[in-house]
C-alpha cells in the first residue's frame, strides 16, 4: 500500500519541527546552505513569519508521527516594491530518510499551484542551487525553472573549496506568453 502524504500550510507552532528538520538536513553535505548550528530559533521564526506574511510555507508531517516534519518549503516577497511580483528566498528541505519518495515534487507542485491560484501578483519564483547539487538542478528544471546564470565562488564549504551558486527562475505560464 502506497503512503499518502498530505501537504498543509505551515504555522507558527511548527517552529521547533521546522528547526529540527532543517538541522537534520543541514547536517548532511549538500543539504541546505546553512550549517546545523546556524539553524536558530530566531532564524526559523523569521522564515515562518515572513512566509505567512507575504509568501507561502508548506509542510508535510510523517503520517505515523504528526510531531515530525518530513518536508517543508517556503518562499516570500523580498519586501522591495520593484520586486513585489517575485517570490524569493526559497528553501526546500526533505528529511534524508524520505528523499526520493516524491515529497519534494509534491511540495513544489503545491507551491507553484498555490502561487498561480492564490497569488495573482506573483509573476516569478526564484531560487539558488549549489552547482554540485546536480540532482536538485535537474529536478528544478523538470518543474519549469530555468538556469539564469552562475554566481562564481559564492559557496565556500567546510574544507575551503569554492563553488558556484546557480540562480534559477520560474515564470508564471501566462507571463511566458507575453514575453
Amino acid at each position: 500500500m502506497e503512503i499518502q502524504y498530505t501537504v498543509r500550510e505551515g504555522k507558527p507552532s511548527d517552529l521547533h519541527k521546522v528547526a529540527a528538520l532543517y538541522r537534520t538536513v543541514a547536517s548532511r553535505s549538500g543539504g541546505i546552505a546553512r550549517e546545523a548550528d546556524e539553524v536558530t530559533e530566531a532564524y526559523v521564526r523569521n522564515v515562518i513569519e515572513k512566509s505567512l506574511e507575504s509568501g507561502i510555507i508548506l509542510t508535510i508531517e510523517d503520517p505515523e508521527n504528526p510531531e515530525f516534519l518530513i518536508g517543508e518549503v517556503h518562499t516570500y516577497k523580498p519586501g522591495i516594491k520593484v520586486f513585489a511580483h517575485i517570490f524569493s528566498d526559497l528553501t526546500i528541505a526533505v528529511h534524508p530518510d524520505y528523499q526520493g519518495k516524491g515529497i519534494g515534487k509534491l511540495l513544489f507542485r503545491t507551491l507553484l499551484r498555490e502561487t498561480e491560484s492564490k497569488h495573482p501578483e506573483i509573476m516569478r519564483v526564484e531560487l539558488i542551487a549549489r552547482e554540485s547539487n546536480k540532482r536538485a538542478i535537474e529536478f528544478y528544471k523538470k518543474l519549469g525553472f530555468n538556469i539564469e546564470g552562475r554566481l562564481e565562488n559564492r559557496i565556500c564549504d567546510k574544507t575551503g573549496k569554492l563553488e558556484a551558486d546557480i540562480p534559477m527562475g520560474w515564470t508564471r505560464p501566462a507571463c511566458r506568453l507575453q514575453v
Side-chain angles (χ1 to χ4, degrees), residues 7 56 105-119 170 172:
V7 178
I56 298 173
K105 186 185 297 182
L106 178 59
L107 284 167
F108 251 104
R109 285 191 172 153
T110 305
L111 177 106
L112 295 175
R113 218 174 15 253
E114 284 200 14
T115 299
E116 290 186 68
S117 66
K118 296 179 181 177
H119 296 276
W170 171 92
R172 178 182 294 275

Side-chain angles (χ1 to χ4, degrees), residues 59-74:
T59 63
I60 297 178
E61 296 171 335
D62 182 336
E64 296 173 7
N65 180 3
E67 291 304 308
F68 179 67
L69 287 183
I70 59 174
E72 185 268 356
V73 65
H74 71 266

Side-chain angles (χ1 to χ4, degrees), residues 129-164:
R130 182 184 299 234
E131 87 176 305
S132 62
N133 197 346
K134 306 226 183 280
R135 186 173 161 207
I137 291 168
E138 288 306 311
F139 170 69
Y140 301 142
K141 285 165 75 175
K142 286 179 185 173
L143 291 167
F145 284 79
N146 294 308
I147 293 175
E148 298 180 335
R150 291 175 60 85
L151 303 171
E152 295 294 343
N153 300 322
R154 188 160 189 251
I155 303 269
C156 183
D157 70 14
K158 292 177 186 179
T159 68
K161 180 181 175 240
L162 296 172
E163 69 175 299

Side-chain angles (χ1 to χ4, degrees), residues 18-50:
V18 172
L21 172 64
Y22 274 39
R23 286 186 193 109
T24 299
V25 173
S27 69
R28 306 285 170 102
S29 179
I32 62 175
R34 290 181 181 272
E35 300 288 331
D37 63 345
E38 294 176 301
V39 180
T40 64
E41 192 171 296
Y43 162 70
V44 176
R45 180 178 292 110
N46 185 48
V47 161
I48 292 172
E49 288 173 357
K50 283 182 174 180

Side-chain angles (χ1 to χ4, degrees), residues 61-132:
E61 296 171 335
D62 182 336
E64 296 173 7
N65 180 3
E67 291 304 308
F68 179 67
L69 287 183
I70 59 174
E72 185 268 356
V73 65
H74 71 266
T75 187
Y76 46 84
K77 295 178 185 178
I80 300 169
K81 287 181 183 179
V82 297
F83 300 134
H85 65 289
I86 297 172
F87 275 159
S88 191
D89 293 322
L90 189 148
T91 298
I92 185 167
V94 175
H95 191 283
D97 295 344
Y98 291 84
Q99 292 180 5
K101 299 179 188 252
I103 303 296
K105 186 185 297 182
L106 178 59
L107 284 167
F108 251 104
R109 285 191 172 153
T110 305
L111 177 106
L112 295 175
R113 218 174 15 253
E114 284 200 14
T115 299
E116 290 186 68
S117 66
K118 296 179 181 177
H119 296 276
E121 78 284 9
I122 298 300
M123 302 295 140
R124 171 184 170 79
V125 177
E126 54 190 27
L127 58 83
I128 301 177
R130 182 184 299 234
E131 87 176 305
S132 62

